[in-house]
Amino acid sequence: MSQEGYDKLVAELQRLESVERPKASAAIAEAREKGDLSENSEYDAAKEAQAHLEDKINRLKVTITEAKVVDTSRLSTESVQILTKVEMTNLTTKSKMSYTIVSENEADLRAGKISIKTPIAQGLLGKKVGDEVEITIPRGTIKLRIDNISIA
């Protein structure tokens, strides 16, 4: 994971714990004041929302604990690996594409960042500039040529 991705996760955890958790508690307290809890759908909904929030907080804590921040200064551009930007050509359509391979939590297709767990990333890992690869994706098989590898 990149340092930037790690910092975003930590910031999100802090926001959930300091802003969202108090909001959830306030919503439960407000719903509780409305009377009979056995027939209070607002109370049930607030408790459920709080449970989802706590689950999200716990999953984020585990992700942060297990995260390994990659020192980009130690990366090589000899072959495709996590945190490298890969420029390639689709040999069927001749179209150019570029992706940065990132951890699952940092994936953002609009920003050109794909998870290391995607079929495309898996098919590219360890390959070098000039290599041609066939990768099976949900829509079939694509043939790609690696044109350039750089550090993201």
Side-chain angles (χ1 to χ4, degrees):
M1 171 177 289
S2 69
Q3 184 65 50
E4 177 189 2
Y6 181 83
D7 292 344
K8 282 181 181 177
L9 289 179
V10 170
E12 174 67 359
L13 177 61
Q14 289 173 339
R15 185 187 71 78
L16 291 175
E17 288 181 327
S18 64
V19 176
E20 297 303 322
R21 188 181 269 163
K23 279 185 192 175
S25 295
I28 290 171
E30 185 180 321
R32 188 180 290 133
E33 291 173 5
K34 294 189 176 173
D36 184 8
L37 297 181
S38 65
E39 295 179 16
N40 188 333
S41 62
E42 273 186 59
Y43 178 76
D44 292 340
K47 287 294 281 183
E48 189 172 324
Q50 182 186 42
H52 286 297
L53 176 64
E54 291 303 324
D55 184 49
K56 187 173 183 178
I57 287 171
N58 288 332
R59 280 184 281 135
L60 210 46
K61 283 181 177 179
V62 168
T63 300
I64 289 169
T65 302
E66 294 176 350
K68 290 177 180 62
V69 176
V70 176
D71 179 0
T72 54
S73 69
R74 302 182 80 188
L75 292 177
S76 163
T77 57
E78 283 188 32
S79 66
V80 178
Q81 55 189 308
I82 193 162
L83 298 182
T84 54
K85 181 178 182 178
V86 186
E87 295 170 38
M88 58 211 129
T89 302
N90 181 323
L91 295 174
T92 306
T93 64
K94 304 295 183 224
S95 62
K96 301 277 186 187
M97 51 178 39
S98 174
Y99 292 121
T100 300
I101 299 174
V102 296
S103 69
E104 263 188 301
N105 296 313
E106 297 175 276
D108 179 359
L109 196 54
R110 286 194 190 111
K113 296 178 178 183
I114 60 171
S115 165
I116 193 163
K117 294 190 175 183
T118 61
I120 291 176
Q122 288 292 305
L124 293 172
L125 287 175
K127 302 297 187 271
K128 299 178 179 344
V129 172
D131 286 355
E132 293 183 6
V133 294
E134 277 192 33
I135 301 171
T136 302
I137 59 172
R139 285 186 271 152
T141 301
I142 56 172
K143 286 186 76 162
L144 301 171
R145 182 187 64 234
I146 299 173
D147 299 326
N148 189 41
I149 301 169
S150 58
I151 304 301

